[in-house]
Amino acid sequence: MKMIRLIAALAIPLLLTGCLLSPGKFNSTLDLKRDGSFTFTYVGEIVVSDLSPPPAEFSASPCFSDETGDERECTEEELAQQRKDFDEAQAANNGDAGMAASAMGGEMGGLGSDEGIAELVEQLKKQEGWKKVSYRGNRIIDVEYAITGTNAHGFAFPLVDGGAAIMPFVTIIKRKDGSVKVSAPAYSGEAPGGEMAALGAMAGAGDAKGKAAQPKPEGSFTISTDGRILTNNTEDGPTTAGATSTLKWVVNSRLPKGPEALIGLAGQ
């Protein structure tokens, strides 16, 4: 029991610092030019992950005879002791979660309620690129995002002002040799967050009764470029029309890994 509590306590800060947002139904594109300029779009749903553990319910453990080792009916004193141990463990776990949340600036880093999500929506509306942002309810935010820039300093989507730590859906990272690595780990059919989700399951282990299943990513991601595609993990590879090559991923439950591509730009 102590080991489970320790794992859960270690998991909570990680869950508070990442994987709070994930794609729902969406379409996303990246147009990347040889000169390093790009246009990125994301239209669809962003889901706020419900990482709070479900309320645990007490369930008595079996009692056994000291003489025969056979299972027997528990005495009232034994049941009372089990209940006491359960209540103490719950109180300790809640305390661990509360301290972690406080250290991160509030419950779920400010995203643990409809009010927190509404505040996030208002923050996103102030940032460049967010053309439309609205909270539908049930932890789903509808967005239209489009931005044009250069990869001189890299790019990540989404980024949130105000100190909220978000695990990016998509990153564009420039390498010293002039190539660009595009990764979209969140655009996959796996449980949102991968190892983070597994930690969440341990931290919130218990009866999942009453918790709605979180939508998984479903949509498409398309990269078009006049650069040189060096590597990619699409199923069919690039298609070419004139000087432009296109990569496309269909994101659903059958896509085990998020899109990745290495693209050579001017000077390579």
Side-chain angles (χ1 to χ4, degrees):
M1 183 65 179
K2 288 183 178 180
M3 181 58 68
I4 293 175
R5 280 180 52 201
L6 175 60
I7 295 173
L10 292 173
I12 288 167
L14 293 175
L15 295 171
L16 288 168
T17 57
C19 196
L20 292 178
L21 304 181
S22 64
K25 294 182 178 180
F26 73 97
N27 287 297
S28 181
T29 67
L30 172 65
D31 183 37
L32 180 62
K33 301 299 186 183
R34 283 175 55 82
D35 62 4
S37 63
F38 70 88
T39 298
F40 173 82
T41 72
Y42 181 99
V43 179
E45 303 171 342
I46 290 180
V47 182
V48 181
S49 301
D50 182 5
L51 300 177
S52 60
E57 296 181 0
F58 172 74
S59 179
S61 301
C63 297
F64 299 91
S65 169
D66 292 335
E67 297 177 357
T68 65
D70 295 333
E71 186 174 344
R72 59 171 175 77
E73 187 175 350
C74 296
T75 66
E76 290 186 5
E77 290 78 8
E78 288 171 328
L79 291 174
Q81 185 61 49
Q82 287 188 32
R83 167 65 75 174
K84 180 181 178 183
D85 293 341
F86 172 82
D87 290 342
E88 290 177 351
Q90 288 298 110
N93 287 337
N94 290 339
D96 291 338
M99 286 188 292
S102 296
M104 294 305 300
E107 181 189 3
M108 296 287 293
L111 297 180
S113 65
D114 282 349
E115 292 78 8
I117 298 173
E119 290 178 7
L120 171 64
V121 167
E122 292 305 311
Q123 183 62 51
L124 294 178
K125 288 180 178 179
K126 300 175 184 177
Q127 296 180 204
E128 184 68 25
W130 298 87
K131 310 302 182 183
K132 294 183 180 180
V133 190
S134 61
Y135 181 38
R136 186 195 308 174
N138 295 323
R139 296 181 174 272
I140 296 176
I141 302 172
D142 293 309
V143 308
E144 290 186 20
Y145 179 91
I147 198 165
T148 297
T150 70
N151 66 359
H153 303 290
F155 171 78
F157 171 83
L159 289 177
V160 180
D161 190 13
I166 303 297
M167 185 177 292
F169 297 0
V170 178
T171 59
I172 304 174
I173 299 176
K174 184 178 180 180
R175 294 186 170 183
K176 289 182 178 180
D177 64 4
S179 64
V180 169
K181 177 69 176 291
V182 181
S183 301
Y187 293 174
S188 74
E190 295 180 342
E195 292 84 357
M196 298 293 287
L199 285 173
M202 284 188 282
D207 181 13
K209 176 179 174 181
K211 290 188 70 174
Q214 178 176 322
K216 291 188 177 182
E218 180 182 349
S220 67
F221 182 44
T222 303
I223 297 177
S224 57
T225 183
D226 59 358
R228 191 159 55 97
I229 296 176
L230 304 175
T231 64
N232 72 93
N233 66 344
T234 58
E235 184 175 346
D236 299 320
T239 60
T240 302
T244 301
S245 297
T246 301
L247 298 167
K248 184 171 183 178
W249 293 262
V250 176
V251 179
N252 54 35
S253 59
R254 296 184 296 279
L255 188 67
K257 185 178 181 180
E260 290 184 351
L262 182 64
I263 301 172
L265 302 182
Q268 279 208 306

